[in-house]
Amino acid sequence: MPPADMDPPFGLLLTLGLLVLFYGGTFLMSARIGHKEENADSYMTAGHGIGFGVSAASMTATWIWASSMYASVTSGYTYGISGPIHYGLWGALMILFIYPFGRRIRKVAPHAHTLAEVMYARHGRSSQLMLAGSNVVGSVISLMSNFIAGGALISMLSPFSFVQGVVAIAAGVLLYTLWSGFRASVLTDFAQVVAMLGAVVVIVPALFLLLGGPSLFTEGAENLSPQQADFFSADAFLNQGAPYIAAVLAYAIGNQTIAQRLFAVREDLIKPTFVTATIGYGATVIGIGMIGVLALYAGITPAGGDPNNLLPQVAASYLPGVLLAVFFIMIIGSLSSTADSDLSALSSIAMADIYGQGVARRGGVDPKRMLFVGRLTMVVATAVAVVFASLQLNILDLLVFVGALWGALVFPVIASFYWGKVTNRAFTVSVLAALAVFLPVRFGAVPGTGLLPLLVEALAVVGVGVVLGLMVFGFLGTRPALVVGLLGSLASAPFVLGFLRDYQALTGSLVAYAVSTLVCWALSVRSATDFDFAEIGRRTGDFTDDAAAPAAPPADALSGARAEH
């Protein structure tokens, strides 16, 4: 970061030019696909038929947001060479691990729009509200976080203030997303992910050379602690890798921005889409994280003592003008690709879950009014996110809460697609019980000695088995998952009991998995329910039946099915 008495690297006209170039270009792209008579279902899922290239790029761009780039750099600076690996690799693998669940979800609900909509068809209102509510809160927080990142970047590199930067980013994203919704999001994602990948390929090698080249690793080795120099660092795994495995699995299963792309891609392209997104995410995030490792070797001190300042600080201090402009576009593209996904997710929840299955379910759905609801939701969500972003609130606690909610939801959601015995009561009680145990664990309300912390660690041991078992279950089925889960719990027990209580983030996440799994299983195993999964396909579907929408039952019949349920 340049010193406070120095002029910012970008002038007013250059900053405006870069913003107009980026957002003007994305707007023109979205305008080319706009329909005079927009289709409500296309606005939410693009007709369930997106091809491979666009869908893979969109999944990659949505998974990569500004915070992930900043965090990967921070991880590299904090934990050394293994930091970006732990941040990027596990996040990438989670994309891969969720695709078999995605195929199952699409099989039972081929024309759904939101995961909450499917949970309503499977269980009823309470499970739907849990998923929809957690996604509304999570998407608004994500939107706010991206606006904050954009505002901070613009204020650092240009004469504009933080608030002016926030408003500029918000207006730019809303400009190209509002008219065509999800279709605009996925189309512009393609261009944004190409720009991000290209920028990483150019910027990281350039910074390596500018900071000293190969000699940096020998001359700067003294700046690393033994743990930072160790590729198999235990600190990096326990503080970064392990918590991220649990958190990203929860995010992948519960988040509407991912589910929306799952419902949009052609069903036969789900596997190649997720595999390609796995590679794209890993390469980009691990690559950008290496800037933090380079800064560590170079002995750079973060501005204000905050490692989160490292990425823009190193860029502004070392990159020449043209490459700094490329960096600016890369960060704006990463935050915009996620912000437009959040807006599309929020509009879909409002359209399908609030209007489609709530307000209008008794009297039939009006597609034009549904579109109005979706667009109004985008405007309101943007305004709310701008207001809170301008206050520069600390959003960490809220992000932790939302992440915990998704962690508590993972097993009940997955089980609901495979096990006919899971009931609405089991789903609801298991999630609430998991949250009730998670919160005191995560925020340090559990004493450090005595029987209670040992019980918490025993639950964390179960949580290890649940996470490993769920990963295996999607690919190999129930029996291998049970074997791997049991072996994982037994193998981890000696390292967890009496030790893990010092790592609250990891312990809390594992406890959320364990409690929701145990309670959901206990309340379901003796249930006489044997749900017919074909009912989900009959209770969900497209809300319009014109030529632009795929074949589905008429809207009136769908409304009737929902009302009867």
Side-chain angles (χ1 to χ4, degrees):
M1 182 186 301
D5 58 349
M6 287 182 61
D7 292 333
F10 293 163
L12 187 146
L13 291 179
L14 177 58
T15 306
L16 286 175
L18 290 173
L19 290 172
V20 169
L21 174 67
F22 181 83
Y23 287 117
T26 51
F27 173 74
L28 290 176
M29 290 178 64
S30 64
R32 290 177 63 87
I33 63 169
H35 294 168
K36 185 176 181 180
E37 294 294 332
E38 188 61 81
N39 177 287
D41 294 296
S42 293
Y43 195 85
M44 290 187 280
T45 55
H48 309 284
I50 296 181
F52 166 68
V54 173
S55 58
S58 182
M59 183 72 75
T60 304
T62 298
W63 206 254
I64 301 171
W65 53 321
S67 295
S68 65
M69 289 193 169
Y70 280 65
S72 185
V73 171
T74 299
S75 184
Y77 185 83
T78 305
Y79 300 113
I81 193 168
S82 65
I85 306 294
H86 281 301
Y87 190 92
L89 177 63
W90 303 121
L93 289 180
M94 286 307 103
I95 305 176
L96 183 66
F97 279 121
I98 64 174
Y99 97 77
F101 300 122
R103 290 194 298 183
R104 172 64 179 174
I105 293 170
R106 275 296 294 275
K107 182 179 179 180
V108 301
H111 293 292
H113 308 84
T114 72
L115 201 55
E117 176 188 7
V118 181
M119 284 298 103
Y120 177 69
R122 174 66 175 88
H123 291 303
R125 184 63 67 192
S126 63
S127 59
Q128 179 198 30
L129 290 176
M130 284 184 173
L131 270 175
S134 69
N135 273 286
V136 168
V137 175
S139 288
V140 170
I141 292 173
S142 173
L143 198 61
M144 178 172 58
S145 176
N146 280 290
F147 290 168
I148 289 173
L153 180 70
I154 290 175
S155 66
M156 182 183 299
L157 299 181
S158 77
F160 289 105
S161 68
F162 172 81
V163 173
Q164 289 171 331
V166 168
V167 172
I169 296 297
V173 173
L174 185 63
L175 174 71
Y176 72 83
T177 311
L178 183 64
W179 184 251
S180 298
F182 179 75
R183 292 188 298 111
S185 175
V186 293
L187 179 64
T188 55
D189 279 349
F190 184 84
Q192 289 162 354
V193 79
V194 170
M196 282 189 285
L197 288 170
V200 170
V201 169
V202 173
I203 288 173
V204 175
L207 280 173
F208 172 66
L209 295 174
L210 291 168
L211 287 170
S215 63
L216 180 66
F217 293 121
T218 54
E219 297 173 1
E222 61 184 19
N223 295 321
L224 278 68
S225 69
Q227 281 289 322
Q228 289 172 330
D230 185 2
F231 185 80
F232 300 100
S233 167
D235 283 348
F237 179 74
L238 290 171
N239 288 294
Q240 178 69 71
Y244 200 56
I245 294 171
V248 175
L249 180 61
Y251 185 93
I253 295 297
N255 189 270
Q256 171 59 18
T257 61
I258 304 301
Q260 196 166 15
R261 280 149 183 79
L262 172 64
F263 291 126
V265 65
R266 258 177 45 196
E267 194 168 349
D268 60 314
L269 295 176
I270 290 176
K271 180 178 179 179
T273 293
F274 277 73
V275 171
T276 304
T278 297
I279 298 170
Y281 174 90
T284 304
V285 173
I286 293 174
I288 202 72
M290 289 303 166
I291 293 177
V293 178
L294 295 176
L296 179 63
Y297 273 96
I300 296 172
T301 301
D306 184 2
N308 289 323
N309 290 327
L310 267 174
L311 182 56
Q313 174 187 346
V314 171
S317 300
Y318 292 94
L319 289 178
V322 174
L323 288 182
L324 187 58
V326 173
F327 168 82
F328 181 83
I329 293 296
M330 177 184 71
I331 300 299
I332 295 299
S334 68
L335 66 89
S336 297
S337 65
T338 305
D340 63 34
S341 299
D342 288 320
L343 288 178
S344 297
L346 287 165
S347 67
S348 293
I349 290 171
M351 292 167 73
D353 295 306
I354 297 175
Y355 175 79
Q357 293 183 327
V359 177
R361 66 190 175 99
R362 296 179 184 237
V365 172
D366 181 349
K368 291 184 178 180
R369 184 170 295 178
M370 178 177 274
L371 276 171
F372 174 77
V373 169
R375 288 171 175 150
L376 179 63
T377 300
M378 285 193 181
V379 174
V380 172
T382 300
V384 170
V386 166
V387 169
F388 283 103
S390 64
L391 297 175
Q392 292 184 272
L393 299 175
N394 186 342
I395 63 172
L396 179 59
D397 290 344
L398 288 175
L399 284 171
V400 167
F401 176 79
V402 174
L405 179 57
W406 284 333
L409 284 163
V410 172
F411 181 83
V413 168
I414 291 176
S416 295
F417 284 101
Y418 292 89
W419 193 17
K421 286 180 173 292
V422 180
T423 63
N424 188 45
R425 175 172 170 264
F427 187 105
T428 304
V429 174
S430 63
V431 172
L432 293 177
L435 282 177
V437 177
F438 166 84
L439 292 174
V441 173
R442 177 60 184 89
F443 295 109
V446 177
T449 58
L451 182 61
L452 192 57
L454 192 61
L455 177 60
V456 168
E457 287 176 334
L459 287 172
V461 169
V462 176
V464 171
V466 171
V467 172
L468 295 176
L470 288 175
M471 292 177 181
V472 173
F473 171 73
F475 290 97
L476 301 177
T478 304
R479 183 168 296 180
L482 290 173
V483 171
V484 170
L486 179 60
L487 293 177
S489 291
L490 293 175
S492 66
F495 304 97
V496 170
L497 299 176
F499 171 74
L500 202 63
R501 65 193 65 178
D502 295 330
Y503 298 89
Q504 293 176 352
L506 176 56
T507 305
S509 296
L510 292 174
V511 164
Y513 276 96
V515 172
S516 63
T517 300
L518 292 173
V519 174
C520 186
W521 177 83
L523 293 178
S524 302
V525 68
R526 296 183 181 276
S527 170
T529 301
D530 188 14
F531 184 77
D532 179 9
F533 288 99
E535 283 295 309
I536 295 179
R538 291 191 284 267
R539 293 172 181 173
T540 59
D542 292 318
F543 291 96
T544 53
D545 58 355
D546 55 40
D556 290 343
L558 289 169
S559 300
R562 294 186 179 101
E564 291 169 7
H565 178 64

